[in-house]
Amino acid sequence: MDRRKFLSLSVVAAAVVPASLSAIDFRATKPDTWTAHNVKDAIKALYGDVALVEEGVTVKAPKVASNGGAIPVTVKSDKAAKTVALFQDANPEATVAVFTVPEGGIVNYMMKIKMKASGKITAVVEGTDGKFYVGNISLEVALGGCEG
Amino acid sequence: MGNMKIKAKVKGDVVQVKVMAKHDMLTYDQAKKKGVDANFITHITAKANGKVVYDASTSQFWSKNPQFKFEFKGAAKGDKVEITWVDLKGNTVTESKKIK
């Protein structure tokens, strides 16, 4: 009976653990990153006090976005990367996304994002060499996308 | 809600993947106005041949019905790419698509 009880308990425990999809869920491991109100604080919350090297990261976005609700942004880098993080300074919170780059992965990510107003998009690439590379782009948003 | 469109194509040794996920991506501000709970995709993972090829922790600032693209190596024509997302309320959707 005891054994049976033990077994059923372990089944319950296994069911409670959320299905973890990946190595790192940055929303769970770095919660402060997602509530930071400016890019500087967000980077600090995610990576700590790091020196940013301005090279090797390209951020592409339209100069003028007519619809702030869906702005295509592309982040590209030739650096061997561990993680990539995307920030902007127009919305109430700064962090847009954090990617874990699989070993040998290609950093070429496009996603459509929302921006409330004109601002600057910043991408940080954490290199496997331990350095942090940064790239950014400023754009104008004709119609803000956060009001829905 | 609850499905996505995936396109995966091999070019040389690189697989290019394009995805459109159907999701309202309600930000906290938008949700407040509508008097409902915020809900948005918080994590997206893609796998091919049992290996993670794309992994993103995402925020409310991805567009409604977010579209995204990425590239990876290590899969061939006929292999499958499997994409899973989770949203703030814990809904999970997984879809897979053969690489063309």
Side-chain angles (χ1 to χ4, degrees):
Chain A
M1 181 59 199
D2 270 356
R3 184 168 172 267
R4 182 165 291 179
K5 213 171 172 183
F6 172 72
L7 279 177
S8 64
L9 269 177
S10 66
V11 168
V12 170
V16 168
V17 174
S20 138
L21 287 168
S22 68
I24 308 162
D25 178 358
F26 285 99
R27 297 193 72 90
T29 56
K30 304 275 183 186
D32 292 346
T33 307
W34 306 93
T35 50
H37 296 295
N38 63 60
V39 177
K40 218 176 134 198
D41 288 351
I43 293 175
K44 210 172 161 186
L46 185 62
Y47 294 127
D49 255 327
V50 294
L52 299 170
V53 188
E54 220 165 296
E55 72 171 51
V57 184
T58 318
V59 188
K60 265 201 276 186
K63 269 214 168 75
V64 179
S66 53
N67 175 11
I71 306 166
V73 179
T74 305
V75 183
K76 261 187 176 177
S77 177
D78 299 332
K79 307 280 179 196
K82 241 198 263 175
T83 62
V84 175
L86 192 72
F87 310 98
Q88 49 61 49
D89 62 3
N91 295 342
E93 289 89 27
T95 309
V96 176
V98 182
F99 301 91
T100 311
V101 183
E103 217 184 308
I106 304 168
V107 180
N108 185 358
Y109 298 134
M110 188 289 283
M111 72 232 87
K112 289 203 173 172
I113 70 165
K114 285 184 274 213
M115 272 172 86
K116 205 169 187 168
S118 306
K120 194 161 103 176
I121 299 172
T122 305
V124 177
V125 172
E126 182 192 5
T128 49
D129 56 4
K131 284 185 184 162
F132 292 86
Y133 302 96
V134 66
N136 52 55
I137 190 168
S138 295
L139 73 160
E140 274 178 42
V141 175
L143 184 67
C146 260
E147 310 301 334
Chain B
M1 205 172 88
N3 63 39
M4 55 183 130
K5 278 186 188 157
I6 307 171
K7 273 186 192 169
K9 224 163 85 182
V10 169
K11 224 178 182 183
D13 61 343
V14 175
V15 182
Q16 297 175 331
V17 187
K18 257 194 224 180
V19 187
M20 196 194 96
K22 264 201 175 169
H23 200 289
D24 279 346
M25 299 299 278
L26 271 190
T27 68
Y28 291 108
D29 283 5
Q30 286 168 338
K32 216 174 173 184
K33 263 182 204 166
K34 290 188 181 174
V36 292
D37 288 342
N39 196 17
F40 47 88
I41 293 174
T42 56
H43 207 110
I44 304 167
T45 311
K47 278 184 189 169
N49 298 326
K51 256 177 75 179
V52 173
V53 294
Y54 178 83
D55 186 72
S57 302
T58 59
S59 73
Q60 65 214 37
F61 304 130
W62 285 42
S63 70
K64 184 180 172 182
N65 298 333
Q67 279 172 282
F68 55 97
K69 283 194 244 180
F70 61 95
E71 296 181 340
F72 70 93
K73 286 182 185 179
K77 205 171 160 175
D79 290 348
K80 270 187 178 171
V81 58
E82 182 190 275
I83 296 168
T84 303
W85 59 251
V86 181
D87 70 12
L88 200 63
K89 290 192 171 167
N91 301 313
T92 302
V93 171
T94 301
E95 297 231 347
S96 65
K97 184 92 183 178
K98 250 192 193 159
I99 297 166
K100 275 188 186 162

